[in-house]
Amino acid sequence: MARDLTVVLGGSGDIGSVLVAQLKENHDSFLAPTSKQADLTDAESTQNFFTSINESYSVVFAAFLDRRQGDNEETLKLNLLMVENVINFAKPSSLVFLSSMDVYGKTPKLPITENTLTDDAFFYSRAKLLAESKLFQTFAEKIDLLVLRLPGVYGGQGPRNAALDRILEKGIKERLINVGGGGLLLRDWIYAGEVARFLIEWLNQPNSGTYNFATGESWTINHYISECISGLGNIRHEIVAVDEAKKSNFGADHVFDNEKFNAAFAGWKFENRLSSLKTFSTLVQDHLNKAKLI
């Protein structure tokens, strides 16, 4: 049976861009409107876009202003305005909203599960939590609605602003990587291509719920870096020794219990992380070469 049209909101972002590339490669039917084609902060523009669609469609809601655009009341208002306009004018057959582990706050109790207490102390986390709530209030009893809380993603095709992307780009340019004591923090970062691959599988067989999209295996940031640079030539990686008691000065560890996710998506397998990091590292170097930045 043919799948519904996929509407990707935020198709130029870190994850949306990779999803669009995979949809193109698969020859799937999709729309990825630019902000000119569908300004989600404008009611009339949003209404015109959705009413122009004459077939059944699923929505991937990846459009959101994050901390790079400012963690303030203005971005909160704009994010919630986008959510309200989608709620008011979209009539999807299914919808997936890309949320964030930031909803658990800066120092969540470990291991992190979907039942971990949330924290709306920051504008960005408040926006994500309110968006989740509003979408469930509107769509939960009508369509399949999935909320994915992402623990950090690397390897998007848009502007390379994710933490690992920025670290690796700087290291390739300067031939040196040193993230200080922060390199000892544990992370369960996900390759953007993995998110896109999962979304395409979900679109083929949608279901509902809120899940942390995490492997359950956390590495130190230094471990990620070491694996990334292993095949990139002579890049020096300096690791700073930090007393465990002082590590919290640099942030909090992120460790997930993904039992709920594994039970709901028993057929899903994450790609080997070493393979993902190798692909990612090559793409970053190729990007810099093409941009003549190295």
Side-chain angles (χ1 to χ4, degrees), residues 9 24 47-48 80 104 117 185 188 203 223 243 260:
L9 304 178
K24 284 181 180 178
Q47 182 179 29
N48 289 341
L80 295 182
Y104 300 118
L117 291 177
L185 295 174
D188 195 345
L203 288 164
H223 191 171
D243 185 273
K260 180 183 176 183

Side-chain angles (χ1 to χ4, degrees), residues 53-75:
I53 303 175
N54 298 315
E55 59 186 292
S56 183
Y57 59 90
S58 299
V59 169
V60 176
F61 198 152
F64 223 71
L65 299 175
D66 62 23
R67 292 196 181 110
R68 290 169 287 187
Q69 286 80 37
D71 190 32
N72 51 48
E73 287 190 24
E74 181 61 24
T75 55

Side-chain angles (χ1 to χ4, degrees), residues 121-158:
F122 296 94
F123 291 106
Y124 179 68
S125 58
R126 192 182 311 167
K128 286 290 189 183
L129 285 168
L130 287 170
E132 290 180 13
S133 176
K134 289 175 179 292
L135 289 167
F136 270 113
Q137 288 172 12
T138 303
F139 293 117
E141 302 301 320
K142 302 174 183 177
I143 63 173
D144 286 310
L145 172 62
L146 176 70
V147 169
L148 281 188
R149 292 174 174 170
L150 303 173
V153 176
Y154 59 89
Q157 291 190 357

Side-chain angles (χ1 to χ4, degrees), residues 169 171-175 284-294:
E169 278 202 0
I172 292 173
K173 292 175 187 176
E174 300 179 1
R175 316 308 295 177
V284 172
Q285 190 168 51
D286 289 347
H287 166 73
L288 292 175
N289 282 327
K290 289 177 182 176
K292 297 181 179 180
L293 296 176
I294 56 174

Side-chain angles (χ1 to χ4, degrees), residues 53-227:
I53 303 175
N54 298 315
E55 59 186 292
S56 183
Y57 59 90
S58 299
V59 169
V60 176
F61 198 152
F64 223 71
L65 299 175
D66 62 23
R67 292 196 181 110
R68 290 169 287 187
Q69 286 80 37
D71 190 32
N72 51 48
E73 287 190 24
E74 181 61 24
T75 55
L76 171 66
K77 290 177 182 178
L78 289 173
N79 279 324
L80 295 182
L81 185 57
M82 288 194 287
V83 174
E84 291 289 350
N85 285 332
V86 170
I87 285 173
N88 288 336
F89 302 114
K91 301 186 184 302
S93 58
S94 62
L95 186 147
V96 54
F97 176 67
L98 300 188
S99 190
S100 167
M101 71 148 289
D102 284 353
V103 300
Y104 300 118
K106 294 187 72 173
T107 56
K109 182 179 178 180
L110 303 181
I112 301 166
T113 73
E114 289 79 2
N115 293 323
T116 296
L117 291 177
T118 57
D119 184 347
D120 67 353
F122 296 94
F123 291 106
Y124 179 68
S125 58
R126 192 182 311 167
K128 286 290 189 183
L129 285 168
L130 287 170
E132 290 180 13
S133 176
K134 289 175 179 292
L135 289 167
F136 270 113
Q137 288 172 12
T138 303
F139 293 117
E141 302 301 320
K142 302 174 183 177
I143 63 173
D144 286 310
L145 172 62
L146 176 70
V147 169
L148 281 188
R149 292 174 174 170
L150 303 173
V153 176
Y154 59 89
Q157 291 190 357
R160 297 184 180 278
N161 291 311
L164 189 57
D165 295 65
R166 288 186 279 107
I167 290 169
L168 188 57
E169 278 202 0
K170 188 172 186 291
I172 292 173
K173 292 175 187 176
E174 300 179 1
R175 316 308 295 177
L176 170 67
I177 298 179
N178 179 349
V179 292
L184 298 179
L185 295 174
L186 292 170
R187 293 291 181 264
D188 195 345
W189 284 334
I190 303 293
Y191 184 44
E194 288 281 84
V195 183
R197 182 167 65 89
F198 175 83
L199 291 173
I200 289 173
E201 289 196 16
W202 180 85
L203 288 164
N204 287 328
Q205 194 171 357
N207 61 0
S208 298
T210 298
Y211 301 95
N212 297 323
F213 190 65
T215 70
E217 180 185 5
S218 294
W219 284 4
T220 66
I221 293 174
N222 280 329
H223 191 171
Y224 282 95
I225 294 168
S226 295
E227 297 297 342

